[in-house]
Amino acid sequence: QSVLTQPPSASGTPGQRVTISCSGSSSNIGSNSVNWIQHLPGTAPKLLVYSNNQRPSGVPDRFSGSKSGTSASLAISGLQSEDEADYYCAAWDDRLDGPVFGTGTKVTVL
Amino acid sequence: EVQLVESGGGLVQPGGSLRLSCAASEFSFDNYAMNWVRQAPGKGLEWVSTISGSGHTTNYADSVRGRFTISRDNTKNTLYLQMNSLRGEDTAVYYCAKGRAYYYGSGTWPPDYWGQGTLVRVSS
């Protein structure tokens, strides 16, 4: 069972900005950094953002992450067709002593 | 480029066993913790287990603790997941994922590279 809560879907037209929220608690987002993972079903998941707002090499700066208290968000600006995928937030949970994932958000490019 | 290639998935009856393997290359395998993450059909990602770089520290999700065993052979650059007493709810694609540090803990999370996954189906 996912510990972090995300909206099931989000959508936008090419070029628009889309924001995905992730809600947690004091034991996970409230005390640890938030990370975002992009996943196209049938392919290898890809780390998109780590440590709240850091992008691995090769990830476009169209993707940006932020965190405030026990919530976080991922923004995709200049939406492109290849951004159509599932997006998961993830964080370490001190109470569980292990990582937890969000429920996932399916982004559709209209 | 880091390569992670899972194998060993397949169809198994409830109560049966299966061992997954993950062959790693293009990085210093014994310097990093490794993870197994799964995705059941129509569901989201779920952490399964993590092992430290030395193999001395492991942890498991409550849903698999006592049934699954993670291990690694640093001489073969290979990660394993022994799955026993399999249940229908274990049906999923299992992904191998490289941690970002040596020790088990928050510092090694999140994984920075993932494999393509191997499908495990538990059904009679």
Side-chain angles (χ1 to χ4, degrees), chain B residues 110-124:
Chain B
D112 50 7
Y113 291 94
W114 301 63
Q116 298 271 5
T118 186
L119 176 62
V120 172
R121 285 184 57 210
V122 183
S123 174
S124 55

Side-chain angles (χ1 to χ4, degrees), chain A residues 1, chain B residues 12-15 37-44 46-48 61-64 67-68 83-94 119-124:
Chain A
Q1 186 176 0
Chain B
V12 61
Q13 292 188 339
V37 175
R38 69 184 181 183
Q39 183 177 38
K43 303 292 186 181
E46 178 190 17
W47 171 71
V48 173
D62 287 344
S63 57
V64 307
R67 300 187 299 122
F68 289 11
M83 304 185 295
N84 298 331
S85 302
L86 283 161
R87 307 166 179 167
E89 54 264 37
D90 296 318
T91 294
V93 175
Y94 285 73
L119 176 62
V120 172
R121 285 184 57 210
V122 183
S123 174
S124 55

Side-chain angles (χ1 to χ4, degrees), chain A residues 2 32 35 37 39 42-47 50-51 88 90-92 96-99 101-103, chain B residues 37 39 43-47 50 59 62 95 100 104-106 108-116:
Chain A
S2 299
N32 293 288
N35 315 283
I37 293 155
H39 187 212
T43 69
K46 176 184 177 182
L47 179 61
Y50 66 97
S51 297
Y88 296 88
W92 191 265
L96 299 176
D97 191 29
F101 284 96
T103 48
Chain B
V37 175
Q39 183 177 38
K43 303 292 186 181
L45 298 174
E46 178 190 17
W47 171 71
T50 300
N59 201 8
D62 287 344
Y95 296 98
R100 297 194 296 133
Y104 175 82
S106 60
T108 194
W109 190 257
D112 50 7
Y113 291 94
W114 301 63
Q116 298 271 5

Side-chain angles (χ1 to χ4, degrees), chain A:
Chain A
Q1 186 176 0
S2 299
V3 174
L4 308 179
T5 302
Q6 300 177 233
S9 64
S11 62
T13 57
Q16 276 191 328
R17 175 184 170 94
V18 169
T19 302
I20 302 168
S21 62
C22 174
S23 178
S25 68
S26 58
S27 65
N28 41 66
I29 295 178
S31 51
N32 293 288
S33 60
V34 179
N35 315 283
W36 292 90
I37 293 155
Q38 180 190 57
H39 187 212
L40 277 74
T43 69
K46 176 184 177 182
L47 179 61
L48 209 58
V49 170
Y50 66 97
S51 297
N52 302 324
N53 55 18
Q54 302 299 301
R55 288 183 304 276
S57 173
V59 173
D61 58 7
R62 303 186 293 104
F63 296 92
S64 62
S66 64
K67 174 186 136 174
S68 178
T70 59
S71 295
S73 63
L74 174 73
I76 310 173
S77 59
L79 194 65
Q80 299 182 5
S81 58
E82 57 260 38
D83 299 333
E84 198 162 273
D86 298 323
Y87 292 83
Y88 296 88
C89 58
W92 191 265
D93 192 296
D94 291 334
R95 182 176 61 84
L96 299 176
D97 191 29
V100 290
F101 284 96
T103 48
T105 298
K106 182 177 181 59
V107 169
T108 302
V109 181
L110 302 171

Side-chain angles (χ1 to χ4, degrees), chain A residues 99, chain B residues 33-38 46-52 57-61 64-65 68-71 79-81 94-97 104 109:
Chain B
M34 295 293 295
N35 307 271
W36 287 102
V37 175
R38 69 184 181 183
E46 178 190 17
W47 171 71
V48 173
S49 182
T50 300
I51 186 168
S52 63
T57 303
T58 60
N59 201 8
Y60 302 89
V64 307
R65 184 173 287 114
F68 289 11
T69 301
I70 190 172
S71 62
L79 174 72
Y80 302 101
L81 186 68
Y94 285 73
Y95 296 98
C96 162
Y104 175 82
W109 190 257

Side-chain angles (χ1 to χ4, degrees), chain B residues 1-49:
Chain B
E1 179 78 9
V2 169
Q3 299 268 1
L4 298 169
V5 180
E6 302 93 336
S7 61
L11 176 62
V12 61
Q13 292 188 339
S17 298
L18 210 56
R19 188 177 85 155
L20 306 183
S21 299
C22 171
S25 60
E26 304 304 322
F27 68 99
S28 297
F29 183 68
D30 55 358
N31 280 349
Y32 295 94
M34 295 293 295
N35 307 271
W36 287 102
V37 175
R38 69 184 181 183
Q39 183 177 38
K43 303 292 186 181
L45 298 174
E46 178 190 17
W47 171 71
V48 173
S49 182

